[in-house]
Amino acid sequence: MSIAEEIQRLHELHLAGALTADEFAEAKMRLLSQEAHRPREDHVGRFRRARNDRWLGGVCGGLARISGIESWIWRVLLVLLVLTFGFGLAIYIVLWIFVPEEETDWTYKNE
């Protein structure tokens, strides 16, 4: 649940009479202070080539994972860059070389 949804839920409780104005303000401040101290995720540092969503090197799968855009859209954009400007292939090769592949979790479960 997002912070906005939690604040909305608190507001509804306040309107229903379950929370006083002071309790609502205190709970809201607590939520906002927790959000301020929550560490932000660094998407650039998490960019990895995908192992399971790949056609060649996994670059488009990795871009899809960090951007939230489907990998097929990244593939179409890359092909368009290759066909129109010619430097799409160079971008893909550079990303393939310098972006590390995501690590696998090699934990085996006992059967």
Side-chain angles (χ1 to χ4, degrees):
M1 183 179 286
S2 72
I3 294 292
E5 292 170 333
E6 290 184 42
I7 290 175
Q8 179 65 32
R9 194 178 104 235
L10 286 173
H11 181 67
E12 290 169 0
L13 289 172
H14 173 62
L15 291 178
L19 293 175
T20 65
D22 292 335
E23 290 171 333
F24 171 70
E26 182 181 333
K28 183 178 170 182
M29 289 305 295
R30 199 172 351 159
L31 280 174
L32 293 174
S33 69
Q34 287 175 357
E35 178 66 18
H37 291 103
R38 186 177 299 166
R40 302 278 184 214
E41 293 180 1
D42 184 16
H43 291 295
V44 175
R46 293 183 328 142
F47 180 37
R48 301 284 186 261
R49 292 185 291 122
R51 283 184 179 261
N52 57 356
D53 185 12
R54 67 186 324 166
W55 282 5
L56 291 175
V59 173
C60 293
L63 286 170
R65 183 167 296 142
I66 66 165
S67 68
I69 299 172
E70 296 288 330
S71 59
W72 67 268
I73 295 173
W74 284 108
R75 289 180 183 108
V76 168
L77 288 173
L78 180 72
V79 168
L80 289 175
L81 282 175
V82 169
L83 295 176
T84 57
F85 301 111
F87 62 85
L89 184 61
I91 291 172
Y92 191 88
I93 291 172
V94 167
L95 289 174
W96 193 349
I97 292 171
F98 290 108
V99 173
E101 193 170 45
E102 68 184 0
E103 290 126 19
T104 58
D105 186 17
W106 291 102
T107 57
Y108 294 101
K109 295 181 180 179
N110 295 334
E111 296 183 47

